[in-house]
Amino acid sequence: MTAPDQERRQLREAVQRQPSDFIAWVMLADAELEAGDVARGAAAATQALRLRGDHPEALARLGRARWMQGHPGEAAALLRRAAEQVPQHPGIALWLGHALEDAGQPEAAADAYRHAHRLLPAEPYITAQLLNWQRRLCDWRDLDRLSAQVRQAVAQGQAVVEPFAFLSEDASAAEQLTCARQRAAAVGADVAALPPAQVRGRGRLRVGFLSNGFGAHPTGLLTVALFEQLALVDRLELHLFALNGDDGSDIRARLQAAASVLHAVGGQPHDGVAACIRDAGIDVLFDLRGWGGGGTPQVLAMRPAPIQVNWLAYPGTSGAPWIDHVLADAFVLPEALAPAFSEQVRRLPRAFQPSDNTRAMALPPSRAECGLPEHGVVLCCFNNSYKLNPRSMQRLFAVLQGVPGSVLWLLSGPGNADARLRAAARQAGLDPARLVFMPRLPHPEYLARYQHADLFLDTHPYNAHTTASDALWAGCPVLTCPGTTFAARVAGSLNHHLGLDRMNAADDRAFVATAIQLGKDAQALQALRTELAQRRADSGLFDMAAFAVDFTAAVEGMARERGWQGEHVA
């Protein structure tokens, strides 16, 4: 039993002995929430409030629990009440920021993070939260200073920084490894591993996939057709462990149908999820969330499966001793990058990223209905707003300046992000009206918009990933500039496996020059789109039947190294 588990047991005993002990109830709420037992944490916080109505510490714990339960509006109201009573409490301000993010109050979330940072300006974790959220809001004030503080803290091992947010910094792969290792060490210190499990000696392998994205989510969209093909190959027994609830989407229904079993484990404590995986007898477990939000690294740290693999959702190293392999390809993770990964690198002979080759596009609305001019080149970048950093936008503005009459079509960001980007365009000497913003739309309607886009322009250091796949599938060429980290090479990998390496620019200057050349040459653009259509059909990038065969071979190869002798052994 780990120290946190022992503390939780002792606190449960303490409140039974002294049910009027307010402090014990608050401490128990903390312990339960850290263990992922949100229902017990909420109950403990509620009992604390019964003892001392409206006490800020109890309000804060209940607010945190409501946020973890997916009720951000209620969470924000509770945390705001707490923050008003103790405005000098940085932790409550930080939690309030999290709740306001998810409650659809992005600018208020930034204010909360900024307030927490003013209270503790030297705390790297809070600095990283503020930095990450400012990137989402395209608020570039003090960006370089904040980034330098976070990178220095990671280099000096001063604090734990969320690795997913760190991917947006212009850091090296070695720095990303350091960040991930620090986060993994903090998680591992509070988790006790289950007794070691062994890969079965023979018989069909049971393969698990753990994610909070099994639905109309990038992970579900990328994997659903592959799971359907794996079911047809029928060499692996597929178990999906869904941390998210059923969103009622067609994608969720297809995932349910393709899986041998879809285990709904959302809301369970970490040890309960790990026990479910162990009880299912999983031989190889794929982490389809990694350090992204909503993941449960504590479950993986318990080692519920004998082989555990980092794949697809987190574009970098886990830095975790409980992850054995990372599944990649030779472009996105070349040999030169392997020393910056804690895992053993396994490479597929094709692009590591699957996609739904059955996805349908709606009929596109008119250009006018999309807010686009009737004539002129349409450049697009539908990446999330946190990827639109100053360097990336300067590249895009340079292309706009070099292609008269063109417009830049962007995905609308949270809060005042769009207005900030228009202001940046004005400062760059451009008419802000040349930026057009698309609201978030259902996937078929979003895909249809690519019919009006002539060229997708990528970002750095965090590429288009699912979005690049969407663009290419919809027939829109992607121009990217591959970097030196996994996250900076995904779009390049897709182009490489399409046979369109010339769309992988060597540097920013070549990126801008290529985009301007294509933007001013309608015939060259049309020829490129024609070639893309042909390569989409014959390159194998979107061949999920062949992907399923390669994926199965990779899984069986991992298992053989651990003693598996095959499905049929005499």
Side-chain angles (χ1 to χ4, degrees):
M1 180 180 292
T2 64
D5 289 335
Q6 187 175 4
E7 178 191 9
R8 189 160 50 128
R9 180 178 58 78
Q10 291 171 346
L11 285 167
R12 286 176 180 173
E13 293 171 353
V15 296
Q16 286 178 347
R17 289 194 307 269
Q18 292 183 294
S20 62
D21 188 339
F22 170 80
I23 297 298
W25 281 109
V26 170
M27 293 175 65
L28 178 59
D30 268 337
E32 300 287 15
L33 293 175
E34 287 300 321
D37 199 334
V38 185
R40 285 179 181 264
T46 300
Q47 183 59 33
L49 280 172
R50 289 195 186 103
L51 294 171
R52 296 192 192 178
D54 223 39
H55 193 287
E57 296 291 352
L59 285 170
R61 271 64 180 183
L62 185 57
R64 186 182 174 202
R66 294 290 183 253
W67 173 62
M68 294 172 72
Q69 289 172 323
H71 304 295
E74 183 182 352
L78 289 162
L79 286 160
R80 195 179 291 283
R81 280 165 55 193
E84 287 169 352
Q85 294 184 56
V86 283
Q88 301 306 307
H89 194 309
I92 290 177
L94 185 69
W95 291 346
L96 176 59
H98 294 334
L100 289 167
E101 275 189 40
D102 292 346
Q105 300 181 55
E107 296 295 336
D111 291 340
Y113 290 140
R114 201 166 288 115
H115 179 60
H117 182 252
R118 279 195 295 268
L119 294 173
L120 281 179
E123 170 50 56
Y125 184 85
I126 292 177
T127 303
Q129 293 294 320
L130 173 61
L131 173 62
N132 177 55
W133 196 241
Q134 283 197 191
R135 288 193 183 281
R136 290 180 182 273
L137 293 175
C138 299
D139 182 350
W140 301 334
R141 290 175 291 173
D142 289 332
L143 215 60
D144 290 342
R145 180 182 63 81
L146 295 172
S147 181
Q149 181 183 346
V150 170
R151 290 178 66 181
Q152 183 180 30
V154 168
Q156 296 176 350
Q158 292 177 353
V160 174
V161 171
E162 290 298 334
F164 182 79
F166 197 67
L167 294 179
S168 294
E169 305 312 310
D170 201 6
S172 68
E175 288 176 273
Q176 291 178 358
L177 173 61
T178 298
C179 180
R181 277 183 167 152
Q182 291 169 0
R183 181 74 174 95
V187 170
D190 292 337
V191 172
L194 295 169
Q198 301 296 322
V199 174
R200 69 192 62 247
R202 60 189 66 189
R204 192 157 65 142
L205 291 169
R206 293 182 184 175
V207 185
F209 302 85
L210 178 66
S211 179
N212 70 338
F214 288 137
H217 175 280
T219 299
L221 293 166
L222 288 175
T223 57
V224 63
L226 173 60
F227 285 133
E228 289 169 340
Q229 291 298 324
L230 286 169
L232 292 175
V233 172
D234 198 28
R235 290 180 63 87
L236 306 175
E237 188 175 308
L238 307 177
H239 290 253
L240 275 53
F241 296 89
L243 295 164
N244 58 308
D246 188 344
D247 60 2
S249 66
D250 175 63
I251 297 293
R252 177 69 170 224
R254 290 171 60 192
L255 289 165
Q256 178 97 43
S260 303
V261 185
L262 190 151
H263 306 261
V265 295
Q268 293 188 28
H270 304 318
D271 55 4
V273 178
C276 182
I277 294 168
R278 176 61 64 89
D279 291 346
I282 300 302
D283 299 296
V284 183
L285 178 64
F286 283 84
D287 182 8
L288 294 188
R289 196 56 187 151
W291 295 119
T296 54
Q298 297 87 347
V299 171
L300 280 297
M302 293 177 188
R303 275 278 183 187
I307 300 174
Q308 300 189 162
V309 188
N310 169 18
W311 176 54
L312 188 62
Y314 181 73
T317 183
S318 68
W322 56 81
I323 299 292
D324 306 295
H325 305 281
V326 59
L327 190 60
D329 65 63
F331 186 97
V332 79
L333 207 171
E335 283 297 329
L337 195 53
F341 277 69
S342 60
E343 307 91 341
Q344 180 183 356
V345 178
R346 312 291 296 226
R347 295 183 178 88
L348 293 168
R350 60 184 58 248
F352 81 103
Q353 186 195 77
S355 60
D356 185 5
N357 57 4
T358 71
R359 56 193 147 177
M361 287 185 286
L363 291 173
S366 67
R367 285 175 64 123
E369 289 172 311
C370 295
L372 300 169
E374 285 302 316
H375 304 288
V377 172
V378 176
L379 307 165
C380 76
C381 180
F382 294 143
N383 286 353
N384 281 313
S385 57
Y386 61 85
K387 300 181 182 182
L388 303 178
N389 56 33
R391 173 180 171 181
S392 295
M393 292 309 299
Q394 286 168 7
R395 289 195 320 200
L396 303 188
F397 290 158
V399 179
L400 281 177
Q401 288 166 335
V403 183
S406 62
V407 296
L408 177 60
W409 203 4
L410 301 167
L411 181 65
S412 184
N416 299 326
D418 299 357
R420 292 188 179 99
L421 290 174
R422 288 192 180 100
R426 185 182 295 109
Q427 191 172 6
L430 291 165
D431 180 355
R434 293 179 71 184
L435 302 190
V436 180
F437 293 91
M438 179 185 72
R440 293 186 180 274
L441 297 165
H443 203 251
E445 295 177 33
Y446 147 71
L447 284 177
R449 266 61 178 178
Y450 281 111
Q451 300 305 302
H452 295 313
D454 295 297
L455 182 64
F456 187 106
L457 301 178
D458 200 11
T459 51
H460 182 91
Y462 202 145
N463 277 180
H465 293 183
T466 307
T467 313
S469 175
D470 288 336
L472 294 168
W473 174 256
C476 180
V478 173
L479 178 65
T480 190
C481 183
T484 56
T485 66
F486 192 118
R489 299 182 63 81
V490 174
S493 169
L494 299 179
N495 278 339
H496 172 74
H497 288 92
L498 274 171
L500 291 174
D501 285 282
R502 71 179 185 279
M503 297 302 290
N504 292 342
D507 52 33
D508 285 359
R509 180 177 296 182
F511 179 97
V512 172
T514 301
I516 291 173
Q517 181 183 11
L518 288 169
K520 296 171 74 172
D521 189 338
Q523 287 186 329
L525 259 181
Q526 184 54 51
L528 177 60
R529 293 181 74 94
T530 300
E531 183 179 0
L532 170 58
Q534 181 62 41
R535 300 304 295 153
R536 192 186 83 163
D538 64 21
S539 67
L541 178 66
F542 296 104
D543 185 347
M544 291 303 102
F547 198 121
V549 172
D550 292 340
F551 185 88
T552 299
V555 170
E556 292 180 342
M558 296 177 204
R560 281 195 180 90
E561 292 177 359
R562 300 287 287 273
W564 180 69
Q565 299 177 51
E567 183 174 355
H568 303 292
V569 179

